[in-house]
Amino acid sequence: MARISLNALRHAYGPVRSDADYALKQIDLTWDDGGAYALLGPSGCGKSTLLNIISGLLVPTEGQILFGDRDVTRASPTERNIAQVFQFPVIYDTMTVYDNLAFPLRNRRLPEDRVDARVREIAAMLELDRDLTRRAAGLTPDAKQKISMGRGLVREDVNVIMFDEPLTVIDPHLKWKLRSKLKELHQRTRVTMIYVTHDQTEALTFADRVVVMQDGVVVQVGTPVELFEEPRHTFVGHFIGSPGMNVLPAEVSGGVARVAGHPVLDAPVIPAARRLEVGVRPEFVGFGTTGLPARVVRVADVGKARVVETRVGDTRVLAVVGEGQPVPDGDAHLVFDPARTALFADGWRVDAKGAAA
Amino acid sequence: MKTENQRAWFLVAPVVLLVAFNALVPLMTVVNYSVQETFGNNQFFWSGLKWFEEILTSERFQAALGRQLFFTFTILIIQIPLGIIIALAMPRRGIWVPVCLVLMSLPLLIPWNVVGAMWNIFALPDIGLLGYFLNQVVGIDYNYTRDPVAAWITLIAMDVWHWTSLVVLLTYAGLVSIPDAYYQAAKIDGASPWAVFRYIQLPKLSRVLTIAVLLRFMDSFMIYTEVSVLTGGGPGNSTTLLSIDLVKIALGQFDLGPAAAMSLIYFLITLAVSWVFYTVMTRNEGK
Amino acid sequence: MTVELRAVTRSVGGEVHIHETSLALKPGGFNILLGATGAGKTTLMKLMAGLDRPTTGRVFMDGRDVTDVAPQKRGVSFVHQFFINYPTMSVFDNIASPLRVAGLSKADIETRVGRAAEILRLTPMLKRRPAELSGGQQQRTAIARAIVKDAGLVLLDEPLANLDYKLREELRDQLPAIFADRGATVVYATSEPSEALLLGGHTATVDAGRITQFGPTPQVYRDPGNLATAGVFSDPPINVAAAVKSGDRVTLDGGLTWSAEGAAARLPDGRYHFAIRPHHVSPEGGTGVPVTGQVLITELSGSESVAHFALGPATWVAQSPGVHPWRVGEPHAFRIDTARGFWFDDNGRRVA
């Protein structure tokens, strides 16, 4: 097992004429040994490309991958000692569950008594021990996906196990079971795991640290709490959370950020940026007697709360109001929780020193 | 939807009629002949199962059936593995894919009697390219018109040349439909190329291969034209397969009763084997 | 259009898919069928569309018995979960296809396709092929095809299930507006309670081949008439425990006890089922009966956190806004706001 470092990775699938031709623009990342990571982003953001580069199914156009101190940029998947679980369960149809799990070990010529011990240990962990003698082809998709995971876990020397949207074909009501099983497996084995998904719940639930990608760039690496409470980029604020963060055009003057002419936030320094915005999550928008003037246009009762759609000028601002709290009719004043409101310059969060993060 | 169902019958009716005239009526004619005897003048006499008994116990029929089974078995044993090997060797993507596919399809596009005539001339020992080459350059005494072994080798070579492509195309279609993830997973599991074939490709091809075997069985079991043109069943009776013998009896000797009985036996064998294949296939699907 | 199922059933090979069901849809509004996968939502929609025939019972549209009428003559549109478009046709031709079948004039087709494309924001993509579009755009094309022919009944079978959740959010936001002034009766199947709540309208909860309740969406959610409805209309799953009421005390299976309040206080003594939604079990303080349970699993969605915890013999679920990574395997204090719970009798009927 080893720490995995990605240095100045860039990748393009075709000839490069401009920066836009890169599917991965510039990736510098370190994955610590034994961590539980998620790679989160919308489809087409480059997360699958990055995954295939780490697993060795793809050689990057530029840059370097290190496993520990060893440069594996051009090494094959077998040489890297990695495991991967695919979107659709890959199982060897004609083999029993036992033989499926034993397959990677037998290929590496492990003595049969070691194989047996390992297979039984992992099968017990995955709760597959009662199915060992059954043909894998006859199992349900979630059991098949567990076998795919098992073939990765069974190898003791594995550097990292990667999951490429592994719950796509799993029945919705079984998803959380498999998700929590995965989390438990990570805690028991402490193998580095990288989980690629476009689903925020899967990413935040599984990972200790989440890498959010957009358009071939990493926009934030952080814990689930950091991503929710302190998004470094408007994309993170928008992508994580349902509904996502409100992003309002702003201007800064006299140490104050204003939305539609109304002061909403202290901004000691004016950043030199083409586009200034104020971001605040709907959960941190309330109603008051003074504040940003707005118009309530729609209230959706979602049971445990109400989602209130308002307009500030032409800009849509959502507020989430808890059960039993009043919602004004028509004209209203919005109040932003100052601790949870931030200024963004060209998309990036401006911290207290005024520099864009 | 009841009304729609009844309307659907009208749409099916022409097919039912067509099948009836095409298959059922001639079949019944054959059944009719098979249980009667005629001495010409369009006079028929009931003869029960006499012809069936006679055919089944005749050495001539048994020999022809034996030759037929040997032929079918041999070409299956050659064509199926060869077809798989060629399909595995074909490129999976790129500009060579269409070229390979067209080359593979060519033998299938040639009319059967032309295939027979081609090989007939190609293998002639004095003027045929193959025959001349073997005799004059390699120095083997090869004459398929005289020597039964040479006749059989030529016959099988011709069929392999003609029909292996079908197995290749079917297998290739099966191969390209295997998702990339399987190959990637095998790479990661450290599987050898043999293991990839044995545990991924072969199981995923099992359905398509069953169909290939079935098609090749039926076609080779009923082969007539090419053999007739190439050897005419000779030398002697050495390549007289069931279909050739049937035509000899029916048209050569005009023994309608035995020929009809033989046709039915022939038909029942083909049907039985196909049925076995069908059940095997559908049972695999159910799993 | 009014649509009514009268005592319909549907069985296939001796297996009952739909038990006897009667339902009159809210005409010109959003009707949501909410239920788990396999509950019978798609079968119900097929019965309405005429793609499937009831084993017994009749289907009425605008007061006319249409049980034997073919789907193409019923004036319905159907949008599937998978984006079904004609792959070789442009987006324009895809949307225009039902109009061409109906034999409309070229000019007519152009104006109507243009209008549908505008509503679904597909105008810049009209010349492209479906394969060149994103999933959301492909599904919008399918929806455009459904609205372009101005069908009186539009059936949407989990149309957003196969989209990324951000796209789902966006499209879900637009859907009620798209259908708002068309006058069409819309039926929308979903397995997600939150989707039903966000769409509003009326909801029929479907459970194991039965409609368990039908009414305005928030009302069905707040006031479930039976345990099945409460179960279907809760995600994460509603907490249910067997309870005994004796005098003014309530005791749950497993020992948790409190003094009965509100409507529950007026219940006669006996055995009941007590059910409470996860967000009324708070891991963050608040009011209610305090309990301590070992956290088994946590799930974090973007703006909510869920904890599954062991309480006596059962697993309970708590939910709170925000992202809170509670430590798995450790005890945590929760508060059950028992006054917000529902009470059901042994037959699953709501009693308080």
Side-chain angles (χ1 to χ4, degrees):
Chain A
M1 298 200 203
R3 150 201 290 252
I4 298 169
S5 324
L6 312 177
N7 297 335
L9 276 191
R10 285 158 82 84
H11 187 77
Y13 284 100
V16 177
R17 272 175 240 96
S18 72
D19 244 22
D21 292 327
Y22 283 101
L24 288 186
K25 297 215 164 58
Q26 170 88 25
I27 308 282
D28 291 276
L29 269 178
T30 311
W31 314 83
D32 283 325
D33 189 14
Y37 293 94
L39 201 50
L40 174 68
S43 43
C45 73
K47 56 188 193 297
S48 292
T49 305
L50 186 57
L51 185 79
N52 287 336
I53 288 175
I54 299 172
S55 65
L57 296 168
L58 205 61
V59 175
T61 314
E62 294 164 35
Q64 199 186 29
I65 308 146
L66 301 179
F67 279 24
D69 298 323
R70 194 161 73 96
D71 184 339
V72 295
T73 315
R74 275 160 208 293
S76 73
T78 328
E79 292 171 86
R80 293 183 194 200
N81 266 328
I82 53 101
Q84 189 164 344
V85 176
F86 297 87
Q87 210 169 4
F88 300 95
V90 174
I91 51 142
Y92 302 104
D93 291 335
T94 51
M95 295 186 198
T96 60
V97 173
Y98 183 99
D99 290 336
N100 259 282
L101 294 175
F103 191 62
L105 300 180
R106 287 180 178 156
N107 285 331
R108 287 169 176 77
R109 313 217 175 286
L110 226 70
E112 202 56 30
D113 56 324
R114 287 287 305 128
V115 172
D116 189 66
R118 251 335 251 180
V119 167
R120 289 188 188 284
E121 185 190 340
I122 296 301
M125 241 189 243
L126 289 165
E127 291 158 33
L128 284 171
D129 30 359
R130 269 181 296 155
D131 295 322
L132 279 176
T133 54
R134 287 185 59 186
R135 271 226 346 213
L139 299 176
T140 55
D142 56 307
K144 285 183 182 175
Q145 203 58 305
K146 279 205 233 167
I147 296 174
S148 315
M149 288 177 197
R151 283 208 314 274
L153 290 168
V154 78
R155 287 157 49 195
E156 282 161 300
D157 58 350
V158 78
N159 277 316
V160 53
I161 304 181
M162 282 173 299
F163 299 89
D164 189 2
E165 314 232 358
L167 302 183
T168 308
V169 296
I170 308 300
D171 218 35
H173 68 274
L174 289 174
K175 277 187 182 179
W176 67 269
K177 267 193 178 164
L178 215 52
R179 207 155 54 206
S180 50
K181 189 86 219 161
L182 205 57
K183 182 112 186 138
E184 182 199 321
L185 286 174
H186 176 260
Q187 276 158 358
R188 286 176 67 169
T189 59
R190 285 287 156 196
V191 177
T192 315
M193 293 187 183
I194 302 176
Y195 188 114
V196 173
T197 179
H198 64 259
D199 184 295
Q200 52 172 347
T201 308
E202 285 178 27
L204 301 186
T205 299
F206 171 75
D208 300 330
R209 290 183 82 74
V210 180
V211 177
V212 186
M213 283 184 75
Q214 185 208 10
D215 288 340
V217 177
V218 172
V219 284
Q220 186 168 357
V221 182
T223 63
V225 176
E226 283 167 0
L227 296 182
F228 181 73
E229 292 180 353
E230 286 166 22
R232 307 305 303 163
H233 193 277
T234 48
F235 174 77
V236 178
H238 161 77
F239 196 68
I240 288 173
S242 310
M245 184 173 76
N246 295 301
V247 178
L248 308 156
E251 66 260 16
V252 175
S253 60
V256 176
R258 292 163 202 276
V259 171
H262 257 262
V264 291
L265 187 69
D266 288 341
V269 188
I270 307 168
R274 274 167 293 142
R275 183 162 49 94
L276 288 174
E277 285 149 329
V278 161
V280 57
R281 290 196 175 277
E283 288 84 354
F284 305 123
V285 178
F287 293 97
T289 45
T290 59
L292 188 59
R295 208 157 24 86
V296 174
V297 292
R298 192 158 72 105
V299 182
D301 186 343
V302 294
K304 53 190 171 276
R306 271 162 300 169
V307 179
V308 184
E309 186 181 335
T310 69
R311 291 271 190 286
V312 174
D314 290 332
T315 315
R316 197 167 94 123
V317 181
L318 296 181
V320 173
V321 179
E323 225 173 3
Q325 280 169 274
V327 173
D329 224 9
D331 289 327
H333 293 276
L334 300 179
V335 181
F336 298 168
D337 175 354
R340 294 278 176 260
T341 307
L343 185 64
F344 293 84
D346 290 334
W348 297 94
R349 188 189 187 93
V350 181
D351 62 22
K353 289 176 226 86
Chain B
M1 257 201 296
K2 239 179 201 160
T3 43
E4 262 69 42
N5 275 345
Q6 278 153 2
R7 220 172 293 161
W9 281 110
F10 288 107
L11 300 174
V12 181
V15 181
V16 173
L17 281 175
L18 201 69
V19 169
F21 277 103
N22 252 333
L24 294 176
V25 173
L27 191 68
M28 282 307 123
T29 318
V30 175
V31 171
N32 188 31
Y33 282 140
S34 74
V35 291
Q36 298 189 63
E37 189 161 4
T38 178
F39 304 104
N41 305 331
N42 235 358
Q43 284 181 299
F44 289 90
F45 306 92
W46 174 256
S47 63
L49 293 176
K50 186 178 119 192
W51 297 130
F52 289 92
E53 213 180 306
E54 199 171 282
I55 289 292
L56 283 171
T57 52
S58 88
E59 267 175 45
R60 175 177 170 171
F61 172 78
Q62 288 167 359
L65 179 63
R67 283 190 287 271
Q68 184 68 65
L69 289 173
F70 175 74
F71 174 74
T72 295
F73 180 74
T74 313
I75 63 107
L76 282 178
I77 268 291
I78 298 173
Q79 289 178 5
I80 299 295
L82 186 63
I84 295 173
I85 291 169
I86 295 175
L88 283 173
M90 274 169 59
R92 238 32 83 67
R93 43 179 78 88
I95 51 161
W96 288 105
V97 173
V99 175
C100 287
L101 289 178
V102 168
L103 278 178
M104 279 293 136
S105 313
L106 278 181
L108 300 174
L109 298 173
I110 301 172
W112 298 359
N113 57 342
V114 177
V115 171
M118 265 169 57
W119 278 79
N120 185 317
I121 298 165
F122 181 54
L124 278 178
D126 41 1
I127 57 163
L129 188 61
L130 177 70
Y132 183 84
F133 178 81
L134 287 176
N135 278 291
Q136 305 302 322
V137 182
V138 185
I140 304 169
D141 181 21
Y142 164 83
N143 188 339
Y144 76 91
T145 59
R146 218 177 43 214
D147 175 13
V149 177
W152 268 98
I153 291 174
T154 315
L155 188 59
I156 285 163
M158 175 183 71
D159 199 76
V160 167
W161 176 83
H162 191 184
W163 287 112
T164 305
S165 294
L166 181 73
V167 182
V168 173
L169 294 177
L170 284 171
T171 311
Y172 185 76
L175 277 177
V176 293
S177 70
I178 301 175
D180 268 351
Y182 278 86
Y183 295 109
Q184 295 175 349
K187 243 191 228 177
I188 285 160
D189 288 337
S192 64
W194 166 250
V196 170
F197 175 69
R198 169 72 186 76
Y199 297 114
I200 295 174
Q201 291 170 324
L202 204 54
K204 295 271 169 216
L205 288 176
S206 63
R207 269 178 59 78
V208 81
L209 284 178
T210 323
I211 292 169
V213 170
L214 177 63
L215 287 177
R216 283 314 299 129
F217 166 79
M218 292 200 304
D219 270 351
S220 67
F221 205 72
M222 296 185 288
I223 188 170
Y224 176 77
T225 316
E226 296 110 303
V227 190
S228 164
V229 176
L230 181 71
T231 65
N237 269 336
S238 60
T239 57
T240 299
L241 305 178
L242 269 185
S243 57
I244 305 266
D245 204 26
L246 183 64
V247 172
K248 276 183 187 170
I249 296 172
L251 301 179
Q253 299 159 224
F254 241 93
D255 286 334
L256 282 184
M262 192 172 158
S263 302
L264 282 178
I265 294 168
Y266 196 173
F267 170 68
L268 288 175
I269 295 174
T270 319
L271 195 69
V273 177
S274 305
W275 180 77
V276 168
F277 269 108
Y278 179 77
T279 37
V280 167
M281 256 163 54
T282 43
R283 200 180 45 209
N284 280 346
E285 256 172 69
K287 260 192 245 164
Chain C
M1 182 185 273
T2 69
V3 180
E4 208 187 328
L5 303 178
R6 286 194 199 158
V8 297
T9 67
R10 175 76 186 139
S11 334
V12 178
E15 198 183 325
V16 183
H17 289 197
I18 299 292
H19 295 276
E20 191 176 307
T21 295
S22 293
L23 174 71
L25 295 178
K26 186 87 188 155
F30 241 81
N31 295 269
I32 293 155
L33 299 179
L34 174 66
T37 315
K41 304 184 300 276
T42 304
T43 311
L44 285 171
M45 294 183 111
K46 282 184 173 167
L47 291 174
M48 294 173 196
L51 296 168
D52 209 347
R53 196 180 187 282
T55 309
T56 60
R58 312 300 289 174
V59 182
F60 287 81
M61 285 182 177
D62 284 338
R64 198 164 67 92
D65 184 341
V66 294
T67 318
D68 296 321
V69 175
Q72 58 270 29
K73 291 187 187 143
R74 288 195 186 184
V76 296
S77 300
F78 204 110
V79 176
H80 288 265
Q81 185 173 351
F82 302 98
F83 334 127
I84 298 177
N85 291 303
Y86 302 105
T88 56
M89 288 188 193
S90 68
V91 170
F92 181 95
D93 291 333
N94 260 291
I95 301 175
S97 59
L99 303 178
R100 297 226 160 100
V101 172
L104 262 68
S105 75
K106 216 173 157 205
D108 238 13
I109 289 176
E110 252 172 59
T111 35
R112 286 175 71 166
V113 171
R115 212 171 47 206
E118 207 177 289
I119 292 169
L120 285 150
R121 295 193 282 144
L122 287 165
T123 312
M125 292 135 211
L126 281 175
K127 290 211 172 68
R128 291 197 220 159
R129 296 269 161 88
E132 300 166 56
L133 304 180
S134 72
Q137 290 163 343
Q138 288 186 39
Q139 192 61 314
R140 289 212 298 264
T141 306
I143 295 172
R145 199 170 58 229
I147 65 169
V148 75
K149 67 175 177 183
D150 276 327
L153 175 64
V154 180
L155 302 159
L156 304 154
D157 189 4
E158 304 201 37
L160 309 182
N162 284 299
L163 297 174
D164 283 10
Y165 74 93
K166 273 292 152 186
L167 271 171
R168 207 183 306 165
E169 237 174 77
E170 195 184 312
L171 220 49
R172 187 171 50 211
D173 236 30
Q174 299 162 1
L175 276 175
I178 289 170
F179 290 102
D181 345 296
R182 306 190 75 82
T185 302
V186 180
V187 182
Y188 186 106
T190 179
S191 59
E192 290 178 39
S194 60
E195 192 155 288
L197 286 163
L198 281 165
L199 289 168
H202 283 60
T203 290
T205 43
V206 188
D207 180 54
R210 284 193 170 86
I211 290 181
T212 60
Q213 195 165 339
F214 180 63
T217 305
Q219 191 190 315
V220 175
Y221 177 84
R222 290 236 153 68
D223 205 3
N226 48 57
L227 193 51
T229 302
V232 170
F233 217 148
S234 183
D235 179 44
I238 196 163
N239 298 297
V240 183
V244 174
K245 181 171 181 278
S246 169
D248 64 344
R249 291 306 290 177
V250 169
T251 311
L252 291 194
D253 202 15
L256 185 65
T257 178
W258 67 87
S259 59
E261 69 257 273
R266 292 187 289 276
L267 287 175
D269 287 2
R271 292 192 63 82
Y272 296 94
H273 294 285
F274 172 73
I276 187 158
R277 294 190 188 279
H279 69 275
H280 292 137
V281 180
S282 170
E284 305 282 297
T287 56
V289 179
V291 294
T292 301
Q294 190 197 16
V295 178
L296 303 172
I297 297 164
T298 61
E299 280 180 89
L300 314 174
S301 77
S303 24
E304 273 152 9
S305 304
V306 172
H308 298 241
F309 64 98
L311 184 64
T315 301
W316 282 58
V317 186
Q319 185 184 30
S320 79
V323 173
H324 311 281
W326 301 295
R327 294 200 67 88
V328 171
E330 283 175 21
H332 187 91
F334 297 89
R335 276 180 180 271
I336 303 175
D337 194 356
T338 50
R340 305 260 194 176
F342 304 127
W343 293 87
F344 301 93
D345 66 13
D346 264 353
N347 298 319
R349 255 197 315 270
R350 173 92 177 275
V351 288

